[in-house]
Amino acid sequence: ECDLIILSVGLEAESGIGIDMQTGANGFMQVAHPKLRPVEAPTDGVFIAGCASGPKDIQTSIAQAAAAASKVKTLLTDDHLEIDPMSAHVDADKCIGCAICMSVCKFESIRMVHGKAVVDELACKGCGSCSAACPRGAIEPYMHTDAQILSQVRTLTKNECPLIIAFLCNWCAYACADLTGVLHIRYPTNIRVIRVMCAGRVNPGFVLEAFRCGADGVLVAGCKISECHYIHGNVNAEHRMAALSGLLAGVGIDAARLRVEWIDASESKRFVEIVSGFVDELKGIGPIGSELPV
Ligand code: SF4
Ligand code: SF4
């Protein structure tokens, strides 16, 4: 006796088909966002339908093909092209040509010209992952610059204990905090929110500066893994914050003061639990600096 019989063999992605497309962990072509842009590739003007992005039934494949065709038609018939003004740019004087930014950018918006990084501002999405990775501070978005973010960090006065500085990604974590407020759901006032386009924008230097300015805890939160609006921005953030976490003890900061969370825009209840739980944990650790020997 069983509840369900599936009369279908498993599908495997075909490799080596001669098209240079980004693929996900299972080998299928990667879409820009599984919910919001399911037939668009991360690269503008490239569309994906049906089983190219993963196993699907015929009805879904047909619906996706119609959606992709409609997007292509719109693209070809419009007499102008709208682009997002969010993009990054390079200070060639600071750039040492290490190409780290190029390896981080999943939109292939960066190329090296005469040993310097150059951003294709039409293809760039302005996520800022490249900026957080650059060892020389040579690349950053036009908006949400390092100086702007650091100035917000420094302005957040320590009038609560514990005080949490939270870097929240625009699309999920910030939207979730916003929704929580709109729904009049209460959460501790100990949190000060800084909006960033992507969790991948958070430079470890921002976190250290927050601690230097007296924050008792830092929260970095973004979209759930595999749902990042910038493909791998949250994965980059996860790796960066894990590396930073391993270094915090060396400078006398309890690693538990840095928390990383992935959250949906609709998860208000969870957002409250995360903030409340972090506040309680920080109360147990004590104010920043209390772990240092007297
Ligand atoms: S990571 Fe920074 S220094 Fe290295 S190539 Fe890119 S912009 Fe230049
Ligand atoms: S990593 Fe993001 S901000 Fe940097 S060039 Fe690529 S798309 Fe633009």
Side-chain angles (χ1 to χ4, degrees):
E1 197 176 318
C2 63
D3 296 321
L4 181 69
I5 298 174
I6 300 174
L7 298 174
S8 171
V9 290
L11 279 184
E12 277 186 14
E14 195 168 341
S15 58
I17 54 172
I19 306 175
D20 185 16
M21 296 283 288
Q22 283 187 41
T23 52
N26 53 18
F28 290 96
M29 289 178 190
Q30 180 137 19
V31 294
H33 190 275
K35 290 179 190 157
L36 304 180
R37 297 169 63 198
V39 299
E40 293 172 59
T43 305
D44 288 341
V46 178
F47 302 94
I48 300 169
C51 292
S53 59
K56 305 210 174 44
D57 59 26
I58 291 172
Q59 287 92 333
T60 307
S61 298
I62 292 171
Q64 285 202 336
S70 155
K71 285 187 176 292
V72 171
K73 182 168 175 276
T74 306
L75 195 62
L76 293 177
T77 50
D78 272 1
D79 59 0
H80 66 279
L81 192 61
E82 283 184 14
I83 58 159
D84 203 317
M86 309 289 279
S87 85
H89 64 108
V90 175
D91 181 338
D93 290 338
K94 289 187 187 169
C95 177
I96 53 170
C98 64
I100 292 174
C101 55
M102 219 173 128
S103 64
V104 165
C105 180
K106 294 295 171 194
F107 297 95
E108 298 182 6
S109 308
I110 304 174
R111 63 202 159 90
M112 303 302 295
V113 178
H114 304 308
K116 304 278 184 184
V118 175
V119 177
D120 176 347
E121 295 188 14
L122 288 180
C124 173
K125 303 293 180 194
C127 65
S129 266
C130 53
S131 184
C134 176
R136 302 301 293 261
I139 185 168
E140 67 174 357
Y142 285 112
M143 297 183 206
H144 300 279
T145 63
D146 284 8
Q148 288 168 341
I149 294 172
L150 287 170
S151 137
Q152 290 180 67
V153 169
R154 290 167 190 147
T155 310
L156 297 169
T157 49
K158 189 169 165 60
N159 52 3
E160 303 243 15
C161 190
L163 180 81
I164 298 169
I165 290 191
F167 297 98
L168 306 185
C169 95
N170 181 57
W171 305 100
C172 292
Y174 184 85
C176 184
D178 198 26
L179 179 68
T180 307
V182 168
L183 295 175
H184 300 291
I185 301 174
R186 287 171 177 263
Y187 59 89
T189 56
N190 307 64
I191 184 170
R192 304 287 180 273
V193 170
I194 295 178
R195 174 160 55 164
V196 288
M197 289 312 290
C198 177
R201 171 70 179 99
V202 182
N203 188 316
F206 299 165
V207 177
L208 292 173
E209 182 63 8
F211 286 130
R212 193 191 69 76
C213 291
D216 303 299
V218 173
L219 171 67
V220 176
C223 304
K224 292 193 169 167
I225 300 294
S226 87
E227 293 184 10
C228 176
H229 282 61
Y230 302 104
I231 310 173
H232 281 179
N234 51 8
V235 175
N236 292 334
E238 188 170 48
H239 293 162
R240 248 173 240 140
M241 293 308 134
L244 176 61
S245 189
L247 297 173
L248 287 179
V251 290
I253 296 173
D254 190 324
R257 292 188 185 278
L258 172 60
R259 184 175 281 207
V260 178
E261 296 283 352
W262 312 121
I263 187 166
D264 257 352
S266 59
E267 290 184 311
S268 290
K269 186 165 174 277
R270 196 165 151 249
F271 178 74
V272 174
E273 286 167 1
I274 289 169
V275 177
S276 306
F278 198 17
V279 168
D280 289 344
E281 192 176 352
L282 290 170
K283 280 181 182 164
I285 298 173
I288 185 79
S290 56
E291 57 267 61
L292 289 169
V294 203

